[in-house]
Amino acid sequence: MNDRPANGSGNSELSSADIDAATRRLMTALEALESAVERRREADRDENELASRIQALGADRSRLADELDGSLVKSRRLERVNREIAERLDAAIGTIREVLSAGEET
């Protein structure tokens, strides 16, 4: 069943050149594996960094949306106060004109 001769000698025994070639192939394969692992680690770091940036952008977006809502409320309040002041000024101007007109008639 075994192709090797019983005494351990014969053509099936590996030569030093065969062992060296196999060793070189193994080293090349290990280097390729190490390179692939390093590329994967870099990709994972890049992915984690991107996820962190996306999370930070989401937090910034929420904060900015809250600030915008607050600014809109403040802007509407200022518009309402501005209208009230304009109405009061118009009323005051009208009263002053009436007083001036009444003073000129006397």
Side-chain angles (χ1 to χ4, degrees):
M1 305 280 160
N2 192 348
D3 289 340
R4 289 189 198 179
N7 63 6
S9 64
N11 292 338
S12 65
E13 203 172 292
L14 294 175
S15 69
S16 177
D18 292 335
I19 292 173
D20 288 343
T23 302
R24 282 192 298 276
R25 287 194 308 274
L26 177 60
M27 295 304 291
T28 301
L30 287 174
E31 288 172 2
L33 179 60
E34 287 174 356
S35 295
V37 167
E38 186 57 33
R39 285 192 306 271
R40 180 60 192 193
R41 284 183 184 154
E42 286 181 28
D44 288 347
R45 279 192 297 267
D46 291 345
E47 186 176 314
N48 290 338
E49 184 178 328
L50 182 59
S52 295
R53 287 182 180 182
I54 289 171
Q55 185 177 6
L57 287 173
D60 284 348
R61 185 208 163 280
S62 294
R63 181 183 52 80
L64 290 172
D66 289 342
E67 288 179 13
L68 179 61
D69 289 344
S71 294
L72 288 172
V73 167
K74 193 180 283 186
S75 174
R76 288 181 183 138
R77 191 175 338 139
L78 288 171
E79 288 174 359
R80 186 176 59 247
V81 169
N82 189 32
R83 276 194 306 274
E84 289 173 7
I85 291 171
E87 289 171 2
R88 288 180 185 179
L89 283 173
D90 286 343
I93 290 171
T95 302
I96 292 171
R97 286 186 178 151
E98 288 175 9
V99 168
L100 291 175
S101 294
E104 288 177 1
E105 291 177 4
T106 55

